[in-house]
Amino acid sequence: LLDDPNISYYETEIAASVFVAFNNAEGVFADKRMRKAMMMAVDKEAMVEGAREGLGTPLNTWWPIPIGGWDSSVPFEGVPYDPEGAKALLAEAGYPNGLEVELKTTDSATYNKPTEVFQDMLRAIGVTGNINRMERSAYFESVQTAREFEMCVLASTTSVPDVDYIYSSFHSSQVDGGRNYMGVKNDELDRLLEEGRAESDQTKRYAIYREMAELWNDEVFSGCLYTYLTPIAAHKDLQGVIINSKNRMFIYDFWWAAS
């Protein structure tokens, strides 16, 4: 497509993040040491290379950036890549010889490619990830509705261009009957989500959400992986094509250039 003179190619970073979802409510990943160990096994640069052929950007926050409420001009370090530290945490949590976990996924490359790379990285710290590839609707029914999972790789698109969009996925009020399918219940996280949503001063919001990101590094409610590029390829004579981060095409704005 890039080499075709009749094709115009557009791309931009998508307003979405690829992440590791943990069952915080029950099972081995109710222990934050286990969640952190899994993420310390992840080399994000290698993850982007393996899962997206290098066409992505590692993330140290669960939300993609730039986004409202987050000062992206100030660097932020996420959970470090430290396989030896991960092994030490596993031993501390009672798994000195590693363990086996199920990794549910679908046939979509958005999910199964990073899952396969994740499986390889887990193997290096003694964790066997048994991949269970499911039909798409059955997968989401199992993970997000029935909440029958240990951990898996998912992608989330921002509903609004502000960090506050994560409220519905992580506030404890959303566990029963809401979208908090990871079962996250944390009083400090609740406080920060509530303060960030109520504050109108952007500088103060930056401080609130940075504090929340620091809490995330400690608790690892979910694991940050990467964001990626979304493309559109179109005939060179098609005008009005605008690539946007929500991956939506407004075809009623398209027109053909005069030949």
Side-chain angles (χ1 to χ4, degrees):
L1 289 172
L2 290 171
D3 292 338
D4 188 332
N6 293 311
I7 294 295
S8 293
Y9 184 83
Y10 314 83
E11 68 182 7
T12 190
E13 284 197 344
I14 195 168
S17 57
V18 178
F19 64 96
V20 178
F22 295 106
N23 189 330
N24 287 241
E26 59 184 24
V28 295
F29 297 113
D31 185 337
K32 73 177 185 180
R33 294 172 298 183
M34 295 296 292
R35 301 194 298 267
K36 192 161 190 173
M38 299 303 104
M39 296 315 300
M40 290 172 73
V42 177
D43 179 341
K44 292 180 185 176
E45 296 285 352
M47 171 64 76
V48 169
E49 194 64 39
R52 299 293 308 185
E53 297 183 350
L55 300 177
T57 304
L59 281 177
N60 290 327
T61 60
W62 195 77
W63 48 90
I65 51 177
I67 191 172
W70 182 255
D71 185 359
S72 56
S73 68
V74 181
F76 181 78
E77 298 296 326
V79 175
Y81 171 54
D82 183 1
E84 293 307 313
K87 292 177 184 177
L89 275 180
L90 283 174
E92 184 182 317
Y95 297 93
N97 300 314
L99 73 159
E100 290 190 26
V101 297
E102 181 184 40
L103 296 175
K104 292 181 176 179
T105 189
T106 74
D107 287 331
S108 166
T110 300
Y111 301 101
N112 66 54
K113 287 296 292 182
T115 299
E116 290 168 359
V117 177
F118 189 40
Q119 179 190 47
D120 286 340
M121 292 178 176
L122 292 179
R123 190 176 295 118
I125 64 168
V127 175
T128 300
N130 298 313
I131 292 179
N132 177 6
R133 190 168 297 193
M134 307 173 68
E135 185 272 328
R136 180 181 175 85
S137 61
Y139 170 70
F140 285 106
E141 170 69 24
S142 176
V143 173
Q144 296 185 340
T145 304
R147 305 177 183 186
E148 296 172 345
F149 73 103
E150 292 181 287
M151 67 175 173
C152 58
V153 177
L154 281 169
S156 172
T157 302
T158 60
S159 54
V160 293
D162 190 277
V163 177
D164 180 67
Y165 87 96
I166 75 170
Y167 186 100
S168 63
S169 295
F170 291 100
H171 193 277
S172 64
S173 65
Q174 304 298 303
V175 171
D176 298 320
R179 293 186 58 202
N180 187 348
Y181 59 88
M182 286 179 258
V184 177
K185 290 184 177 181
N186 182 279
D187 290 342
E188 188 67 7
L189 179 61
D190 283 354
R191 178 185 68 81
L192 292 167
L193 286 169
E194 291 163 9
E195 288 183 2
R197 143 170 301 203
E199 182 58 64
S200 59
D201 185 302
Q202 284 303 311
T203 301
K204 291 180 180 178
R205 295 187 82 231
Y206 290 159
I208 291 168
Y209 288 131
R210 189 158 291 266
E211 184 181 350
M212 188 169 73
E214 295 285 0
L215 176 65
W216 218 286
N217 275 357
D218 182 52
E219 295 286 341
V220 194
F221 305 113
S222 64
C224 319
L225 292 177
Y226 59 85
T227 188
Y228 54 95
L229 299 175
T230 183
I232 293 177
H235 192 281
K236 65 179 178 59
D237 293 335
L238 186 64
Q239 305 298 299
V241 179
I242 298 175
I243 183 72
N244 68 79
S245 61
K246 297 288 282 187
N247 204 22
R248 292 174 180 166
M249 290 178 283
F250 302 101
I251 60 174
Y252 41 77
D253 287 335
F254 295 176
W255 76 93
W256 289 105
S259 57

